Amino acid sequence: MSEIVEVPYQCLEKETLSALIEAFVLREGTDYGEMEWSLEDKNDQVLLQLTRGEVVIIFDEATESCTLLHKEQLG
């Protein structure tokens, strides 16, 4: 069984965090509704959610990958 670890965003280098956020917002299915948002605006929104604790960074040891999840998705 693989372990899933929550990674505090503060532990990541600024460039690493920015790249992770950008990869997340560029994925299909991360549409922000009817209004068009710039990439910078989307990145800022996700960073704000991270700082508020609404979104967390998860590392999956099995796939050796990170993703962002809403806190309530952790279960």
Side-chain angles (χ1 to χ4, degrees):
M1 180 173 202
S2 68
E3 188 172 346
I4 295 177
V5 179
E6 186 175 336
V7 178
Y9 75 93
Q10 303 93 327
C11 293
L12 299 177
E13 296 288 331
K14 184 178 178 181
E15 296 81 18
T16 303
L17 179 59
S18 293
L20 180 62
I21 291 172
E22 187 168 315
F24 176 76
V25 300
L26 290 174
R27 289 185 204 154
E28 278 189 57
T30 56
D31 190 10
Y32 283 69
E34 295 178 19
M35 189 172 180
E36 287 290 323
W37 297 92
S38 71
L39 180 59
E40 184 177 348
D41 287 340
K42 291 178 185 181
N43 290 347
D44 290 345
Q45 290 173 12
V46 172
L47 181 59
L48 181 60
Q49 291 174 350
L50 280 165
T51 61
R52 290 181 176 167
E54 299 166 1
V55 170
V56 294
I57 300 170
I58 299 300
F59 176 74
D60 183 343
E61 288 184 349
T63 61
E64 297 183 353
S65 63
C66 286
T67 193
L68 292 116
L69 295 175
H70 282 274
K71 191 77 171 182
E72 61 252 358
Q73 288 179 291
L74 288 176

